[in-house]
């Protein structure tokens, strides 16, 4: 995550959220016009869902399990996006805006409408966790059930070590005044954490949020994701440009 190269953008649309396989070859992108997939590290894209208003997407480490949210539904696929089943957002307390999953796709977490929902069986059943943010802006989960969340009403990212039962704030006290966090992602074990803010800064922790280093020079409202090994990082600029780091 120290150097980045530009890859093909999905037109000029702003990407809401990315998901990337562990090899970095398969990338899923949620945009307002649908759900898109690339199998060549973002050099070309195809639309796999045409519903509108997509806000979030996640995938398993091999890219075979895909989870996505739009204004009305949570979608999930077990065949790399060839087909999808859906759950109405009303069953989860309202519109869900962000989604994440563990590397095998068994643990799934969503955030939106003032609540955080967790599933330990790939969307078969759901539980509402302790509410930590009423305006979540991003959520991510490790294989062991560690959850990180950011929100408009949170000055710092928050961490749950027990799949949403309890929460505590983590570092980043040096966030520049007036900025807020816009995206967050983590590795399989939850030790490597990336986050981005409205000032175009990307923060990286290799000790589960204990301390962070900073990479500057990106646009504000940058969205990012990383592979489960944290070796591949994808950055989406609000103007449609994509950056890829290995």
């Amino acid at each position: 995550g120290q150097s980045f190269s530009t890859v093909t953008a999905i037109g000029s649309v702003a990407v809401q959220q990315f998901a990337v396989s562990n090899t970095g070859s398969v990338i899923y992108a949620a945009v307002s016009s649908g759900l898109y997939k690339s199998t060549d590290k973002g050099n070309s894209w195809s639309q796999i869902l045409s519903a509108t208003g997509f806000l979030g997407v996640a995938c398993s480490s091999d890219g075979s399990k895909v989870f996505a949210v739009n204004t009305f539904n949570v979608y999930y696929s077990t065949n790399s996006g060839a087909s999808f089943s859906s759950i109405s957002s009303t069953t989860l307390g309202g519109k869900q805006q962000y989604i994440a999953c563990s590397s095998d796709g068994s643990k799934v977490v969503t955030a939106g409408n003032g609540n955080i929902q967790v599933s330990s069986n790939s969307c078969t059943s759901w539980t509402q966790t302790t509410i930590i943010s009423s305006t979540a802006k991003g959520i991510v989960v490790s294989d062991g059930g560690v959850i990180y969340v950011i929100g408009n009403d949170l000055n710092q990212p928050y961490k749950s070590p027990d799949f949403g039962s309890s929460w505590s704030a983590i570092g980043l006290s040096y966030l520049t005044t007036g900025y807020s966090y816009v995206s967050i992602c983590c590795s399989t074990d939850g030790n490597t954490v990336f986050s981005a803010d409205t000032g175009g800064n990307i923060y990286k922790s290799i000790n589960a949020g204990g301390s962070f280093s900073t990479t500057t020079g990106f646009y504000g409202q940058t969205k990012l994701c990383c592979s489960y090994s944290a070796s591949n990082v994808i950055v989406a600029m609000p103007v449609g440009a994509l950056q890829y780091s290995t």
Side-chain angles (χ1 to χ4, degrees):
Q2 298 303 310
S3 61
F4 291 81
S5 58
T6 302
V7 296
T8 305
I10 309 170
S12 59
V13 297
V15 174
Q16 300 300 316
Q17 190 177 6
F18 271 115
V20 60
S21 68
N22 211 38
T23 64
S25 296
V26 178
I27 308 172
Y28 296 94
V31 303
S32 59
S33 59
L35 193 65
Y36 286 78
K37 179 181 180 180
S38 172
T39 57
D40 55 8
K41 296 185 177 181
N43 289 298
S44 62
W45 296 88
S46 59
Q47 189 176 41
I48 57 175
L49 269 179
S50 59
T52 60
F54 275 96
L55 300 166
V57 64
C59 72
S60 57
S61 62
D62 62 2
S64 63
K65 291 184 178 180
V66 190
F67 307 91
V69 290
N70 72 351
T71 306
F72 304 106
N73 297 296
V74 175
Y75 295 88
Y76 58 98
S77 170
T78 58
N79 54 12
S80 302
S83 61
F84 284 85
S85 301
S86 64
I87 304 167
S88 172
S89 296
T90 58
T91 64
L92 302 179
K95 181 174 73 172
Q96 301 301 300
Q97 296 173 278
Y98 304 95
I99 193 164
C101 68
S102 57
S103 65
D104 64 357
S106 62
K107 293 182 176 67
V108 186
V109 295
T110 66
N113 200 47
N115 70 82
I116 293 173
Q117 300 276 344
V118 299
S119 172
S120 58
N121 49 23
S122 301
C123 295
T124 300
S125 60
W126 295 85
T127 301
Q128 181 170 306
T129 73
T130 303
I131 297 174
I132 189 62
S133 172
S134 60
T135 56
K137 293 293 294 293
I139 193 168
V140 67
V141 62
S142 74
D143 280 5
V146 176
I147 302 174
Y148 296 94
V149 66
I150 53 176
N152 283 338
D153 54 345
L154 303 177
N155 293 326
Q156 296 171 263
Y158 271 67
K159 175 182 177 180
S160 171
D162 46 20
F163 210 39
S165 295
S166 61
W167 298 88
S168 60
I170 59 174
L172 302 189
S173 59
Y174 49 82
L175 181 68
T176 303
T177 302
Y179 294 159
S180 61
Y181 295 102
V182 292
S183 60
I184 192 165
C185 61
C186 75
S187 58
T188 300
D189 59 11
N191 288 332
T192 302
V193 186
F194 294 91
S195 63
D197 69 17
T198 51
N201 302 302
I202 293 179
Y203 305 93
K204 178 182 179 181
S205 172
I206 57 173
N207 56 6
S211 60
F212 287 80
S213 59
T214 307
T215 301
T216 61
F218 296 90
Y219 287 94
Q221 303 299 330
T222 288
K223 302 297 177 65
L224 57 81
C225 74
C226 64
S227 59
Y228 288 96
S229 63
S231 58
N232 299 287
V233 182
I234 312 297
V235 174
M237 309 296 191
V239 293
L242 304 185
Q243 298 279 321
Y244 190 104
S245 175
T246 56

